[in-house]
Amino acid sequence: MNGRKDVFLKLTKAFEHNDAPVIWMHCASLGEFEQGRPILEALKKTYPNHKILLSFFSPSGYEVRKNYAGADYITYLPIDSVNNAKHFFKIVQPSLILFVKYEFWYHYAAQAAKKNIPLVLVSGIFREGQSFFKWYGNFYRSILKNFSYFFVQDNVSANLLNGIGFTDTVAISGDTRFDRVITIASQFEPIPIIEKFCANHTTIVAGSTWTEDDEELDHFINSNPSIKCIVAPHNINEDRLKECLHLYHRSMLFSDYENAINNQLPIPENLQVLIINNIGMLTRLYHYATVCIVGGGFGGDGVHNVLEAAVYGKPVVIGPVFEKYIEAVELVENGGCISVEDALEMEQVFNRLLDTNDSLYLNAATAAKSFVYNHAGATKIVMHHIQEKRLLIN
């Protein structure tokens, strides 16, 4: 709510002298931004005379990317209402709108249709249990009717949309996150502090962890002091960081470790675990892992982005809750990812995976990397459609 104060004033000021056509991309949060980013950057490159407006719903997206250089304007999306949507369109006057994954805002979509502005969903994912496909779903289906085109990740999503009458406006593009993580890996920049910490030790990197994940992992780590571990909690508020420091016995915050290294201060001889207390480093941390753990799978909401780890050709371990995430489901089926039920099974899996000569490790590492690279190309499909249909004139 604080972030949305004076949002229209700021938008008016930003656009008052703009005479260039505007491409508007909306993302819920940081994860969706990373998903849409390959398309956004391809559009910027292909249509350099257009302006890019990037909007977020969540502060966890806006606060991290409010200075992103690839967009000309970055804003919170005003709350979805008739007046807000009308006001927004009057100020921005977009030529093309891209919503990422599952953003369905009634009044914004209605304004796009009313003004005959192309509204495209990219990397969409649909499930049978959603309201669109229920007997009471007329209102929700009416939102979909305002979209010009749907690029979805899989056959299931396409078939569900086909089943409610969307046949000519649906294409299976795959997931643009594959393109994004490949770009990240190809542009990898070393982190000297992390290299110093890992040295040549066997290292577990646990990314985007919640309390439930750390409670399953901590016993194995505390019982194996020769193994290095890097933990990047999903939330880095003070209480959560203190919790991690308590769970992992020989641990230290990354910022304290960095300060000690840079200022030649003493470091505990038995230091085993680094707790990452910053945002934005995780995608590079997986590079240093022998084995990766991706958090969320021991909680109710499900696992986070497994592709960020798999792209480096590292075996991925997750908890049992992942069925809503098609990339995780397929990576498990592919053999690049192993789902474990509890700490005991996790320990059994680690005892094999941490031996890099074991067939389980070798097969999982190869399968993980192959899976990512074999699914690249969604960005090209979307860009081809935009150019073929002449949705933008350069």
Side-chain angles (χ1 to χ4, degrees):
M1 295 305 295
N2 287 335
R4 286 179 176 81
K5 288 179 180 177
D6 301 323
V7 66
F8 283 115
L9 194 63
K10 295 173 183 175
L11 283 170
T12 300
K13 186 175 181 180
F15 283 88
E16 62 182 345
H17 299 301
N18 177 60
D19 57 3
V22 175
I23 301 168
W24 169 31
M25 175 175 282
H26 175 64
C27 312
S29 191
L30 185 60
E32 289 75 26
F33 164 74
E34 291 296 324
Q35 203 159 22
R37 184 170 175 171
I39 297 172
L40 188 151
E41 293 180 351
L43 286 167
K44 187 70 174 175
K45 183 178 180 180
T46 307
Y47 302 97
N49 297 324
H50 289 61
K51 298 293 185 183
I52 302 289
L53 168 66
L54 173 63
S55 66
F56 289 99
F57 182 82
S58 166
S60 60
Y62 177 83
E63 291 298 330
V64 176
R65 293 302 180 198
K66 61 186 176 184
N67 297 315
Y68 168 64
D72 299 284
Y73 314 101
I74 302 173
T75 183
Y76 277 102
L77 182 70
I79 294 298
D80 187 39
S81 70
V82 176
N83 290 336
N84 282 354
K86 287 181 177 178
H87 198 182
F88 186 89
F89 274 79
K90 185 178 180 180
I91 297 170
V92 174
Q93 299 183 38
S95 298
L96 171 67
I97 307 166
L98 301 135
F99 282 5
V100 180
K101 196 172 182 178
Y102 39 42
E103 290 299 280
F104 305 105
W105 297 104
Y106 178 82
H107 296 292
Y108 285 103
Q111 280 296 306
K114 184 177 180 180
K115 295 181 178 296
N116 201 30
I117 301 168
L119 170 59
V120 178
L121 184 73
V122 297
S123 290
I125 190 81
F126 292 89
R127 293 185 293 274
E128 188 175 0
Q130 290 174 305
S131 299
F132 305 112
F133 313 108
K134 300 295 186 180
W135 63 267
Y136 54 79
N138 283 337
F139 170 77
Y140 301 97
R141 288 189 286 273
S142 73
I143 302 175
L144 299 182
K145 291 176 182 177
N146 293 318
F147 279 77
S148 309
Y149 214 81
F150 301 90
F151 287 100
V152 296
Q153 295 183 29
D154 60 5
N155 284 310
V156 172
S157 297
N159 290 336
L160 285 168
L161 288 172
N162 294 164
I164 57 173
F166 297 93
T167 53
D168 299 328
T169 57
V170 179
I172 301 169
S173 64
D175 189 346
T176 48
R177 281 184 300 173
F178 289 95
D179 299 331
R180 176 59 189 150
V181 297
I182 289 170
T183 298
I184 291 171
S186 67
Q187 297 174 351
F188 174 76
E189 295 179 6
I191 310 173
I193 297 290
I194 296 296
E195 289 185 349
K196 187 173 185 64
F197 171 76
C198 296
N200 294 314
H201 290 87
T202 297
T203 303
I204 293 173
V205 174
S208 297
T209 64
W210 295 81
T211 301
E212 297 90 342
D213 305 301
D214 293 309
E215 288 177 341
E216 298 294 339
L217 176 62
D218 65 339
H219 176 73
F220 180 82
I221 298 300
N222 293 332
S223 302
N224 292 272
S226 64
I227 296 172
K228 294 284 190 176
C229 183
I230 300 171
V231 178
H234 184 71
N235 293 322
I236 56 170
N237 57 53
E238 185 178 356
D239 288 344
R240 182 74 178 96
L241 294 173
K242 286 181 178 178
E243 179 180 58
C244 289
L245 290 169
H246 173 73
L247 288 171
Y248 299 99
H249 298 166
R250 297 171 290 274
S251 60
M252 189 176 190
L253 292 179
F254 173 81
S255 59
D256 293 338
Y257 179 74
E258 184 178 38
N259 181 61
I261 293 294
N262 291 338
N263 294 287
Q264 298 183 334
L265 300 175
I267 295 169
E269 289 185 10
N270 65 347
L271 178 64
Q272 181 192 12
V273 181
L274 273 190
I275 309 298
I276 305 300
N277 56 337
N278 63 58
I279 299 291
M281 188 183 284
L282 177 58
T283 54
R284 290 188 290 163
L285 292 176
Y286 288 126
H287 170 85
Y288 295 99
T290 308
V291 175
C292 303
I293 298 177
V294 177
F298 288 100
D301 292 334
V303 72
H304 289 284
N305 190 351
V306 295
L307 304 180
E308 293 175 339
V311 70
Y312 292 108
K314 306 297 173 74
V316 182
V317 176
I318 60 175
V321 183
F322 64 92
E323 67 279 355
K324 290 183 179 179
Y325 302 90
I326 182 173
E327 71 283 357
V329 171
E330 292 183 351
L331 190 57
V332 169
E333 293 173 350
N334 168 272
C337 182
I338 299 171
S339 173
V340 296
E341 290 290 330
D342 51 32
L344 181 60
E345 188 176 359
M346 183 186 289
E347 182 175 351
Q348 293 169 348
V349 168
F350 279 154
N351 285 336
R352 286 195 63 186
L353 282 181
L354 293 176
D355 176 1
T356 56
N357 293 315
D358 191 293
S359 60
L360 181 65
Y361 179 92
L362 296 171
N363 293 337
T366 301
K369 190 169 186 176
S370 298
F371 175 77
V372 175
Y373 281 84
N374 289 340
H375 285 78
T379 302
K380 288 183 179 179
I381 292 173
V382 175
M383 288 298 296
H384 177 74
H385 174 83
I386 291 171
Q387 293 170 302
E388 182 184 49
K389 301 298 182 183
R390 298 179 65 81
L391 299 185
L392 291 168
I393 304 299
N394 196 352

